[in-house]
Every structure is written in C-alpha cells, then in structure tokens.
Amino acid sequence: MDLPTLWFLLIAVLWTGYLVLEGFDFGVGMLLPVLARRREERDQMVRAFGPVWDGNEVWLLVAGGAMFAAFPNWYASMFSAMYLPLLLLLVCLIVRVLAIEYRRKVDDPRWTDRWDRVLTISSLGAPLMAAVGLANVVHGIPLDAGHDFTGSLLDLLNPYALLGGVAVIALFLLHGATFLGLRTDGELRPRARTLALALWPVATVLVAAFGLWTLLGASDVARGISLAGTVGVLLAVIGLAGTGLALRAEREGIAFAGTALTIAAAVIVLFAQLWPNVLPSTGDPAGTLSVAETASSPYTLKVMTWVAVLVTPVVLLYQGWTYWVFRHRVSAEGFPPSVGGDAPAAGPATGD
C-alpha cells in the first residue's frame, strides 16, 4: 500500500473515531429538553459525558490536521467551497463548549436553563453542518479546472446532502439515547431506553435510504458500487438490527455497540464510494481531485507516518483509560445540587 492510500484510510479512521465518540454526546445534548424532567436530570445527562467530551473533540482536530498535511489541495478546495457550513460548525462547537462550562457558573436557575437551550441548539447544529459537509464531499461540488469553487450555497443544499444531515441527526439521537441507557441510573435509564425504541425505526429508515443512495451513486464521478461500500452497508444493517434486538432485551451495552457500529459503517460507505477521488467535481470534470494528485510529498507522508506510529498508541491508551475510570453509571442524586436548584444533598454515586 502506498502512503497516499494509507493516509486516505487513516483520515477515514479519524473521522470514524470522531463521529462515533462525539456522536453520543451530541445526541445527549439534543435530548436534554426531551428526556429530562427536572434540572437535576439535565445535570445527570451532562455529567454522563462530562469527563470525555473534550477528548472526543480531539479526533476532529487530528482529522482536520491530517487532511491539511497529507492532502493540502483537498483541504484547500473543500474549506474554500464550504466556508459557511464549516464556519457554522466551528461556531456551534465553540458555543457548545461555553454552554457545558458555563451552565452552572451563576446562582440562577434561569441562567442554567438558558445555557441548556444553547447546548441543545449547538449540539444539533454541529453534527448537521458536519454531515452536510461530508455528504457534499462524496456527492461532489462545482469546481472549475483550477479546482476553484464555482457554485453557491444552494449547490451545497442538494437533496443528497440534506438527507445525509437528517439521517445523521436521527442516528446521533439514537446513539445518545443508547448511551444514556448505558451510563445513567434512576428514572432516566428506562426513559432513555423507551425513547431509543421509538427512535430506532426512524433512524433505520433514514440511514438505510442514505446508505443505499450513497452506494448506488451519490456522485456522477463515482466508479460504481465498491466491495468496501457493500460491506459497509451490510455492517450498518447488522448494527441497526442488533440495536433494535438489544433494546427490546434491555441490553444497553449491546445496543450502544450497535449504534457505534452503524456510524462506523456509514463512514466506510462514504469513503469507499469516494475513492480514488477526494473531491469530485460536478462542474468541469478536470476539476475533480484524486488521492494521487493531491497528496503531499513522499517525505512529508513518511514523517507523518512515523509520528502517527509513535504518538497514536499513547493517545489511544490515555483515552481508553479515561473511559475505564469513568465507566460507572451516574445518578441525579449522586451529585451536588444544581446552582440555584433544589436537588437533595449529595450522596455517593452509584456504580454498575
């Protein structure tokens, strides 16, 4: 395997890690006004992902950095063409951080409620922008022979990209609900499982429609149905079927693994159908960017590979250790009262 191909696959892995890990805390954020019936339960939901959300975002930073270093022309054309959606993604991520950190900084229930609404909106906006952007990368955008964007914002809001955005939101809602079923205790746990059962058929239909559209030809530049794309669709079917069966059997761990597998399978389908291109052109065919022609020099890729080999195991071990330390269930009664709230006195957190 040559280095450009290797780094194309590594970027797919990085996006998989980001969407699987950040997907559940996006889902939890969107579910705040749906599942929580009191402020203490909103605290419980936020604290369920509180120790790991910032580590999850590192995957996005590394994915973006790897694209910039390994395929600079891909990075430049994509970011210039999708400037507005990516700017909105960045704004949502920044505002979301503020909401998580500031929601309990003032002794006023209204302050907390407002920041919780901000958290919900930003948790919806960020994955929507990311999904629309990735879908447009696979679908293709109007580029001229110089790889300059010749379209408008409306070209990015095509039916395929919009379906991808809606499918990802539905899948992340399901992912977040299964995560809460796995990580929370008390009244919230059965409520999350019930909601996940209601979300499951909706997410299944939307993900299946988006996956089949991707496999059968999201872009005119695509090389047809790929073996890896077909495998990805089959894995998504297995993941969704396993999630539905596990939810009915009240096996939250298996249900969460099923939604994680489905997200990973969706990324496999997208990148498999994109290969050997990195950005198809729906305008001038000469504007299509391929893996081979956009890759950095062999020396740059070789240095990046050695850095990845040395650093990646350390990062994975550290993040795995973090998840292990904070693996226990959280309860609304196991934390100090909300600022300005009326929660009972703090008690020991329950484990599982």
Side-chain angles (χ1 to χ4, degrees), residues 15 18-19 26 60 78 82 85-86 89 123-139 156-172 210 214 266-267 270:
W15 274 105
Y18 174 67
L19 295 175
F26 280 144
L60 176 62
M78 185 184 75
M82 299 185 218
L86 294 175
L89 168 62
S123 296
L124 171 65
L128 181 61
M129 294 299 105
V132 169
L134 283 175
N136 272 293
V137 169
V138 178
H139 175 269
L156 303 179
L157 301 178
N158 55 79
Y160 174 76
L162 294 177
L163 175 60
V166 175
V168 166
I169 292 301
L171 183 55
F172 280 8
F210 181 66
T214 304
V267 179
L270 289 174

Side-chain angles (χ1 to χ4, degrees), residues 34-181:
V34 179
L35 279 177
R37 296 179 180 173
R38 52 196 175 101
R39 191 170 297 111
E40 289 70 38
E41 288 184 341
R42 294 205 302 272
D43 290 343
Q44 181 184 9
M45 292 172 68
V46 173
R47 292 181 188 230
F49 67 82
V52 297
W53 68 267
D54 48 353
N56 296 342
E57 288 195 345
V58 171
W59 289 80
L60 176 62
L61 299 176
V62 178
M67 292 174 65
F68 172 75
F71 302 98
N73 290 337
W74 178 17
Y75 181 93
S77 295
M78 185 184 75
F79 273 71
S80 62
M82 299 185 218
Y83 180 82
L84 182 57
L86 294 175
L87 176 63
L88 292 175
L89 168 62
L90 181 61
V91 170
C92 286
L93 291 175
I94 294 172
V95 172
R96 181 170 169 270
V97 172
L98 293 175
I100 294 172
E101 296 293 340
Y102 277 44
R103 57 185 300 274
R104 289 174 50 128
K105 293 292 187 182
V106 175
D107 186 9
D108 185 353
R110 292 175 298 178
W111 169 275
T112 303
D113 294 344
R114 288 167 184 165
W115 278 115
D116 284 345
R117 285 193 289 270
V118 171
L119 177 57
T120 298
I121 295 171
S122 58
S123 296
L124 171 65
L128 181 61
M129 294 299 105
V132 169
L134 283 175
N136 272 293
V137 169
V138 178
H139 175 269
I141 57 178
L143 297 173
D144 60 19
H147 311 302
D148 294 321
F149 183 60
T150 59
S152 65
L153 179 62
L154 293 179
D155 292 303
L156 303 179
L157 301 178
N158 55 79
Y160 174 76
L162 294 177
L163 175 60
V166 175
V168 166
I169 292 301
L171 183 55
F172 280 8
L173 285 169
L174 178 60
H175 197 39
T178 59
F179 174 78
L180 288 173

Side-chain angles (χ1 to χ4, degrees), residues 178 182 238-247 249-261:
T178 59
L182 178 65
I238 294 172
L240 287 168
T243 297
L245 293 173
L247 287 172
E250 300 185 3
R251 301 292 297 273
E252 291 104 335
I254 297 176
F256 179 73
T259 55
L261 175 61

